[in-house]
Amino acid sequence: MTGLRDRIVAEFGSGDAHAENTSVQETRHVSTELENDVNNQLPDSGDDSSMFAQMMRDAKSRADFFASPLPKPAASRIVAVSNQKGGVGKTTTAVNIAAALAAGGLQVLVIDADPQGNASTALGGKPAGGEPSIYHVLTGAMKLADIIRQVPDANNLWVAPSTMDLSLAEIELVTGEHREFRLRDALQKYMNAAHTGNGIHFDFVFIDSPPSLGMLTMNALVAAQEVMIPIQAEYYALEGLTQLMSTIATIQQRFNTQLKISTILLTMFDRRTNLANDVAADVQSYFPNELLETKIPRNVRISEAPSFGQTVISYDPRSAGAAAYFSAAKEIAERNA
């Protein structure tokens, strides 16, 4: 299967055989040429072809993403992706932001801390029960280095997979010693080893937590420095956030003083509806500094990609969904943690 970088070069129209081995820098050069073309094609405000205008905006987002290198953080950024409300695009956001950052040249790890294992499925396939997974790390049977694997067609993206065994961890950790710190300690040991050359230094670590506030989510929040909260653009968008924010405040006070909400991302957004725009304004009023300018639209390609064991970034990099995640990832990378 063709790698993502080669696919982007092909999509952006490089015209020689050497493009098969194009470097990230050359890919950005090709994308810059596309950006120039896009700037010359963007319709003026009087153009009523809204679909064409959106296509041009999406093309420009992709070109902007590859036009310059993404900044590497001074230290690894560890981000818990959390929302106790299901169906908001939590896992979809985790894997696609991670994949976009990896496509931009950063080293990224996704830790699947959800027993459903949807992040693992989207990143190349979920292991069978009993196979090495994050469950074995949390129970102390294995080290993090023993279970992480590279995601197919993504040179800079890695995953610590989940299996249904992880559902047992919720029960086992309740009576376990040092139960809130299992993931933090395992991750810290790995990162300390990486500093000495015995492992990969990750620029970003994303922890996909369950849509609940149990022990697995607590481990994710204790291990993280930042919290990213995807919110669906619907009437009850802020429902459940009160309890999540209360949990975050408790974690800050008792276990992790560094933890903070750094990112709010609106998902399943339809700019044509008054409801979606009202929700955006409402969220903006509550989280003026955390809300990303980018909004993730409803897009069938985003929904289709996991069934092929891929993110939308590799499945269809020209889609509106991929363009939105490229843009959101660029915002996140350029923000100071």
Side-chain angles (χ1 to χ4, degrees):
M1 191 178 296
T2 306
L4 174 60
R5 188 168 60 205
D6 293 336
R7 287 188 62 190
I8 291 173
V9 172
E11 296 286 0
F12 286 179
S14 181
D16 55 55
H18 179 66
E20 291 299 317
N21 297 311
T22 302
S23 67
V24 171
Q25 183 176 2
E26 289 168 328
T27 301
R28 292 189 178 110
H29 175 70
V30 173
S31 303
T32 301
E33 292 179 351
L34 173 67
E35 180 182 6
N36 294 333
D37 291 341
V38 167
N39 286 332
N40 292 329
Q41 295 180 55
L42 280 172
D44 60 32
S45 58
D47 193 322
D48 60 2
S49 178
S50 58
M51 182 176 294
F52 177 75
Q54 185 60 53
M55 289 173 63
M56 290 298 99
R57 283 193 293 268
D58 292 344
K60 189 173 187 302
S61 292
R62 289 188 294 270
D64 287 346
F65 181 83
F66 288 100
S68 59
L70 293 181
K72 282 183 173 288
S76 299
R77 290 176 61 178
I78 305 172
V79 184
V81 185
S82 186
N83 192 329
Q84 73 167 47
K85 191 175 185 299
V88 299
K90 176 183 59 63
T91 296
T92 299
T93 291
V95 298
N96 283 298
I97 292 292
L101 291 169
L106 301 182
Q107 296 285 348
V108 186
L109 171 66
V110 175
I111 297 176
D112 189 352
D114 188 341
Q116 296 179 82
N118 291 333
S120 302
T121 298
L123 297 174
K126 182 170 65 173
E131 294 186 25
S133 69
I134 196 67
Y135 166 77
H136 297 94
V137 174
L138 292 175
T139 56
M142 292 182 176
K143 298 178 181 178
L144 188 60
D146 297 330
I147 71 157
I148 64 171
R149 67 188 190 197
Q150 189 169 359
V151 176
D153 303 318
N155 293 335
N156 303 322
L157 184 58
W158 301 75
V159 60
S162 167
T163 66
M164 287 305 295
D165 296 335
L166 189 58
S167 59
L168 300 174
E170 283 281 15
I171 301 171
E172 296 176 14
L173 288 176
V174 168
T175 56
E177 295 182 1
H178 213 56
R179 59 187 183 180
E180 299 92 352
F181 301 94
R182 299 288 184 91
L183 183 57
R184 186 201 69 176
D185 291 350
L187 184 56
Q188 193 60 55
K189 287 179 182 177
Y190 180 89
M191 294 172 70
N192 289 341
H195 283 308
T196 64
N198 296 316
I200 300 165
H201 170 76
F202 292 111
D203 299 302
F204 278 85
V205 176
F206 290 94
I207 308 172
D208 184 36
S209 57
S212 64
L213 297 177
M215 192 56 62
L216 293 174
T217 298
M218 183 172 291
N219 263 264
L221 295 174
V222 171
Q225 304 151 344
E226 307 175 38
V227 183
M228 177 192 297
I229 307 176
I231 299 178
Q232 186 177 354
E234 62 170 17
Y235 184 72
Y236 294 108
L238 300 179
E239 184 180 285
L241 276 187
T242 301
Q243 188 173 357
L244 176 59
M245 293 178 70
S246 176
T247 299
I248 290 172
T250 300
I251 297 295
Q252 289 171 326
Q253 294 170 5
R254 298 181 58 185
F255 305 113
N256 185 0
T257 57
Q258 297 181 60
L259 187 66
K260 66 177 182 180
I261 297 174
S262 65
T263 309
I264 305 289
L265 178 62
L266 284 172
T267 62
M268 306 177 198
F269 190 83
D270 187 344
R271 67 172 66 230
R272 299 169 300 178
T273 67
N274 290 333
L275 175 60
N277 289 295
D278 289 345
V279 168
D282 198 17
V283 175
Q284 178 71 45
S285 68
Y286 282 95
F287 301 100
N289 299 317
E290 296 82 5
L291 181 64
L292 293 185
E293 182 178 343
T294 303
K295 301 170 181 63
I296 308 301
R298 290 187 179 275
N299 181 255
V300 67
R301 295 302 194 198
I302 294 176
S303 302
E304 289 175 350
S307 64
F308 293 90
Q310 297 183 62
T311 65
V312 74
I313 301 300
S314 61
Y315 177 66
D316 188 355
R318 289 195 60 169
S319 66
Y325 276 115
F326 278 133
S327 180
K330 184 176 176 67
E331 277 193 73
I332 291 168
E334 291 178 345
R335 284 187 170 191
N336 292 325

